[in-house]
Amino acid sequence: MAPLRRPLLLTLVLLLAGPLAAHDPDLAVELDPVEVQGRAESLLGQAAAASEGSIGAVDLARRPLLRVGELLEAVPGLIATQHSGSGKANQYFLRGFNLDHGTDFAVSVDGVPINLPSHGHGQGYTDLNFLIPELVQRIHFRKGPYFADVGDFSSAGSAQFRTVDRLDQPLLKLGLGEDHYRRLLAAGGHHAGRAHWVYAAETQRDDGPWTRPENLGRGSGLLQVQQGDEQAGWRAQLRGYHSRWDATDQIPLRAVQSGALGEFDSLDPTLGGDSNRVSLLGERWRGPTEAQLYLAYYDLALFSNFTYFLDDPVNGDQFEQADRRLYGGGHLRHRWPLTLFGRPAQHSLGLQLRHDRIGEVGLFRTAARERLSTVSTASIDQTALALWYQLDQSWSEALRGYAGLRVDQMRFEVAADRAENSGREDEALLTPKLGLAWTVSPWLELSANAGHGLHSNDARGTTLRRDPVSLEPAQPVDPLVRSRGAELGLRAQPRPGLNLTLTLWQLDLASELLFIGDAGSTEATRPSRRHGLEWTSFWRLDPVWQLDLDLALSRARFRDPDPAGREIPGSVERVAAAGVAADWPSGWGGSLRLRHVGGRPLTEDGRVRSGDTTLINAQLRWTRGPLLVAADGLNLADRRDHDIDYFYASRLGPEEPAEGVEDLHYHVVSPRQLRLSLSYFFGGPAVSAGTGEDGAGHRH
């Protein structure tokens, strides 16, 4: 834990300094409040695109979760899976993308960016395991590169998590389940003068269904103080997280078919990882101006083995990916109204800065988690500076629109163990954004959005001159890769409580990032195009019942000719999700959810495809006074579908050819299991943490 001492000390000092900051009671200025909308509320006349929306805490609480990252599955069309231990970041799919661990989907929590550039395991690595689900106030999502205030990693979309501002009812929650699943959460809040404090601590243990127990041990903590209201105030926040686990990675189909392996077995019993995260946040807002600063320490040691004995017949192919960094930055945003062409309009201007000081990012050959040799290691300084502007204009009572412009400047400084792979690269990219919405009637709105976006490439790739494995000459990649997208949308509320959206979209990438199975890494490859259709619907039938149905269809292809083929491996073509939920006045409630992921190509010629995956989860709840009892049933049909599929060459031992055998490698979904939880709310009746009666939050 020695690497944590300095960040922890700095974090504690800054946190203690926050409440001592001067607070002027006369800061309040007139500002229209922004109400947090859930799926039951209409966004007609408010949302900038048909694919934009929000999910509130009450809706999130009704979703049974196997893993924390599945909170993102509340975003219509998004899938979160796992091919390794539960302490590792989830793998995400959206709009025809295999997003790996977050390459083209930007995620922030309370304004702090979570995607990690130039990460040891994959570009844009997004680990949400530090989140405490009960403290999530809402998720606001937007799809496509159409918005000026988000930049790197947001080509497919973005999600902003907002956690609670206050907890008026302390909560104690105990969770128990099969496979030695145990979870304990204590959370509360209190007023101290004009400030409100929130504190929470969570611990979890889980062995999972695997032959070799996962031995997951994780803990999360939150300490926060906030003062003020929607007009003016400040907040300081400290988060901490630690996780350690043993992993059962994907396994080859031929070993299962021969009987050598069971579906819950592993070919390498020493896989797993260890991760830590500590973050500090400080923010202040006054009228139309908001400022935020953040600082985070993060480390990961991840041990994997995808090819078994292909590269090293003696010691095996296990490798360690290490990442240790301190990153920080902030943003400044200001809005001011004006009158343009006799109609109301608004300017928005923002400045964003982020610096990652990556002390170590490396790849090491290992056996039983002991390092044998170094493949590559580097220290990186990566700085991102962005300036954005957006003009929102109301042209008439029925027509409104926006135009935005964003410029991103990035600098990559790499000090690699091989001098020829060290160096510095700079690049800037200008990306325009446009949107238009027409309110056809009080219940129908049409919209059109277009824009350019980007994702950054791994800093090590921008200065690469010699491949660290083969030692052959290598071609460096472009630091920034442009994307271009557009969509047409329809949003309707034909009756109160019934919300419908339909979206047609297209997205082009100048360079695709592909997962390389035998190295556990990504590489920049060919230009691509995706297009598709999305349908979302939410219907609150009455105060008891609600229904939702989401459908996403997409097609992804490389744009350049190549004998290998034009299919993009891992690109999901069909996603469907449906749910029904009920809450009776008697205190009983429940939900039933279905999640379906269609087959996808695993090779560029399309000759190998994955199968479908369909899961059914359910929740039954009972409340009486301050007591809430819940039972979650996961994978109720006990299907043996796959969480993930890859196709590549591996070698099981000396009985197989030296060049290996190309095969399907997969990770089976967790079998049916039951989890029970008992929650006690002190000082009042049971509610979803951090929410009022409607689950709405306080400030956007």
Side-chain angles (χ1 to χ4, degrees):
M1 295 295 290
L4 284 171
R5 290 174 183 168
R6 290 185 181 179
L8 271 173
L9 181 61
L10 180 58
T11 297
L12 289 172
V13 169
L14 291 175
L15 181 70
L16 292 173
L20 301 177
H23 177 68
D24 185 354
D26 299 324
L27 282 179
V29 298
E30 188 66 25
L31 176 67
D32 293 334
V34 178
E35 184 180 355
V36 178
Q37 304 286 351
R39 296 193 71 182
E41 303 297 327
S42 172
L43 292 178
L44 287 167
Q46 301 179 51
S51 58
E52 179 179 4
S54 289
I55 306 101
V58 171
D59 287 336
L60 292 173
R62 295 187 178 110
R63 306 178 71 93
L65 298 176
L66 177 64
R67 311 177 185 99
V68 178
E70 291 175 4
L71 285 168
L72 275 176
E73 290 194 347
V75 177
L78 193 147
I79 295 297
T81 69
Q82 182 59 273
H83 69 92
S84 187
S86 299
K88 184 180 177 181
N90 288 84
Q91 187 142 355
Y92 308 105
F93 297 85
L94 177 70
R95 284 196 164 183
F97 279 90
N98 175 356
L99 295 164
D100 195 28
H101 299 287
T103 302
D104 284 289
F105 191 77
V107 178
S108 66
V109 175
D110 294 328
V112 179
I114 306 303
N115 302 70
L116 298 178
S118 305
H119 186 270
H121 184 67
Q123 181 69 345
Y125 190 83
T126 304
D127 186 356
L128 290 172
N129 284 303
F130 67 88
L131 273 178
I132 300 175
E134 290 83 356
L135 301 188
V136 175
Q137 187 88 54
R138 69 173 182 273
I139 304 173
H140 184 76
F141 63 88
R142 294 180 294 182
K143 299 178 186 177
Y146 320 129
F147 307 98
D149 59 338
V150 287
D152 200 7
F153 306 121
S154 65
S155 293
S158 63
Q160 295 81 41
F161 284 78
R162 181 74 184 189
T163 55
V164 297
D165 294 334
R166 58 191 298 146
L167 276 177
D168 293 322
Q169 294 176 239
L171 162 68
L172 183 64
K173 183 174 184 177
L174 173 65
L176 298 171
E178 299 175 76
D179 302 315
H180 300 99
Y181 171 82
R182 302 181 298 278
R183 181 172 180 255
L184 181 64
L185 168 65
H190 75 275
H191 293 279
R194 301 175 62 183
H196 187 86
W197 289 80
V198 174
Y199 41 84
E202 172 203 32
T203 181
Q204 179 181 324
R205 298 285 301 178
D206 190 11
D207 284 341
W210 317 108
T211 304
R212 180 186 181 233
E214 191 172 54
N215 294 317
L216 171 70
R218 60 182 293 267
S220 296
L222 170 70
L223 180 63
Q224 175 180 289
V225 58
Q226 177 169 322
Q227 182 171 312
D229 53 23
E230 292 90 345
Q231 283 73 41
W234 57 267
R235 176 163 76 155
Q237 180 189 92
L238 172 68
R239 289 183 182 273
Y241 165 75
H242 169 73
S243 182
R244 191 184 189 283
W245 67 97
D246 297 323
T248 296
D249 278 353
Q250 65 258 27
I251 55 177
L253 178 62
R254 64 187 184 278
V256 177
Q257 290 177 332
S258 70
L261 281 182
E263 288 195 308
F264 300 98
D265 293 345
S266 173
L267 278 165
D268 188 336
T270 62
L271 306 180
D274 188 300
S275 185
N276 298 281
R277 180 184 175 89
V278 179
S279 66
L280 172 74
L281 163 70
E283 62 179 340
R284 189 176 179 110
W285 60 95
R286 176 179 178 177
T289 304
E290 178 182 318
Q292 183 183 86
L293 293 173
Y294 61 86
L295 180 68
Y297 170 83
Y298 166 89
D299 67 47
L300 171 73
L302 182 65
F303 298 88
S304 307
N305 187 343
F306 300 139
T307 53
Y308 321 120
F309 294 94
L310 179 65
D311 297 326
D312 188 338
V314 177
N315 299 300
D317 296 351
Q318 187 185 104
F319 58 90
E320 176 191 359
Q321 292 166 311
D323 192 289
R324 187 182 74 251
R325 70 179 68 203
L326 187 68
Y327 76 97
H331 73 250
L332 180 65
R333 178 199 306 255
H334 181 72
R335 305 181 304 273
W336 65 97
L338 74 156
T339 300
L340 194 61
F341 305 114
R343 298 290 303 173
Q346 178 177 271
H347 292 296
S348 297
L349 185 66
L351 178 67
Q352 298 167 345
L353 174 66
R354 172 176 176 172
H355 179 77
D356 286 68
R357 178 68 178 99
I358 307 173
E360 178 190 43
V361 56
L363 179 64
F364 307 91
R365 301 191 191 280
T366 58
R369 301 198 190 189
E370 294 294 329
R371 291 182 181 178
L372 302 177
S373 62
T374 299
V375 178
S376 66
T377 185
S379 62
I380 301 171
D381 281 284
Q382 184 164 335
T383 305
L385 177 65
L387 179 67
W388 63 269
Y389 166 79
Q390 184 166 303
L391 171 66
D392 292 87
Q393 172 72 54
S394 172
W395 299 100
S396 69
E397 293 298 325
L399 191 64
R400 69 184 193 280
Y402 68 86
L405 195 63
R406 179 184 179 93
V407 59
D408 287 271
Q409 169 73 43
M410 294 194 187
R411 169 169 291 184
F412 308 83
E413 297 181 77
V414 180
D417 53 350
R418 293 185 177 275
E420 63 264 47
N421 288 335
S422 300
R424 191 181 85 178
E425 289 291 333
D426 295 84
E427 188 166 356
L429 202 60
L430 188 68
T431 52
K433 326 279 184 174
L434 291 169
L436 191 66
W438 175 34
T439 304
V440 180
S441 72
W443 62 271
L444 177 64
E445 185 172 85
L446 304 178
S447 61
N449 303 83
H452 288 220
L454 69 121
H455 70 230
S456 61
N457 274 321
D458 191 298
R460 292 166 292 178
T462 68
T463 61
L464 187 68
R465 295 295 184 273
R466 190 171 296 276
D467 186 278
V469 177
S470 67
L471 302 182
E472 296 292 326
Q475 185 69 29
V477 299
D478 292 331
L480 302 180
V481 176
R482 182 181 294 273
S483 61
R484 182 178 67 240
E487 72 176 49
L488 298 174
L490 176 151
R491 184 184 296 272
Q493 189 181 47
R495 57 175 296 173
L498 175 59
N499 294 319
L500 311 171
T501 67
L502 177 67
T503 307
L504 297 171
W505 61 270
Q506 179 172 295
L507 181 66
D508 292 348
L509 283 183
S511 174
E512 188 78 16
L513 283 183
L514 287 183
F515 178 80
I516 309 302
D518 60 357
S521 62
T522 55
E523 69 175 17
T525 61
R526 302 154 59 189
S528 63
R529 169 167 293 173
R530 291 170 171 82
H531 58 265
L533 177 147
E534 293 171 334
W535 166 268
T536 72
S537 56
F538 184 94
W539 189 10
R540 186 179 294 281
L541 285 76
D542 55 40
V544 173
W545 291 93
Q546 69 180 43
L547 306 171
D548 65 88
L549 172 64
D550 302 328
L551 177 65
L553 305 175
S554 60
R555 184 177 188 270
R557 295 291 186 270
F558 290 114
R559 285 186 289 149
D560 62 338
D562 192 298
R566 295 188 58 205
E567 303 247 13
I568 300 178
S571 57
V572 172
E573 300 170 343
R574 183 177 68 254
V575 173
V580 56
D583 286 284
W584 288 276
S586 63
W588 287 94
S591 64
L592 182 68
R593 298 205 59 82
L594 178 144
R595 180 258 247 180
H596 171 82
V597 184
R600 52 198 177 275
L602 300 179
T603 58
E604 294 180 12
D605 58 10
R607 64 184 175 88
V608 182
R609 295 180 59 85
S610 72
D612 297 350
T613 299
T614 303
L615 298 177
I616 299 175
N617 299 331
Q619 183 183 87
L620 182 65
R621 301 181 304 277
W622 177 77
T623 58
R624 179 62 58 88
L627 192 64
L628 169 61
V629 181
D632 289 352
L634 303 166
N635 188 13
L636 287 180
D638 200 26
R639 293 176 65 98
R640 289 295 185 266
D641 296 341
H642 298 172
D643 248 336
I644 198 72
D645 294 279
Y646 300 108
F647 187 79
Y648 56 84
S650 63
R651 190 185 187 203
L652 303 182
E655 69 279 3
E656 293 194 331
E659 67 274 15
V661 177
E662 288 195 328
D663 195 8
L664 179 77
H665 298 74
Y666 70 97
H667 194 263
V668 70
V669 300
S670 294
R672 179 174 52 226
Q673 57 183 288
L674 176 68
R675 291 181 178 178
L676 301 174
S677 66
L678 175 66
S679 303
Y680 189 86
F681 292 80
F682 296 87
V687 296
S688 294
T691 66
E693 293 180 359
D694 59 355
H698 299 285
R699 185 183 62 84
H700 182 79

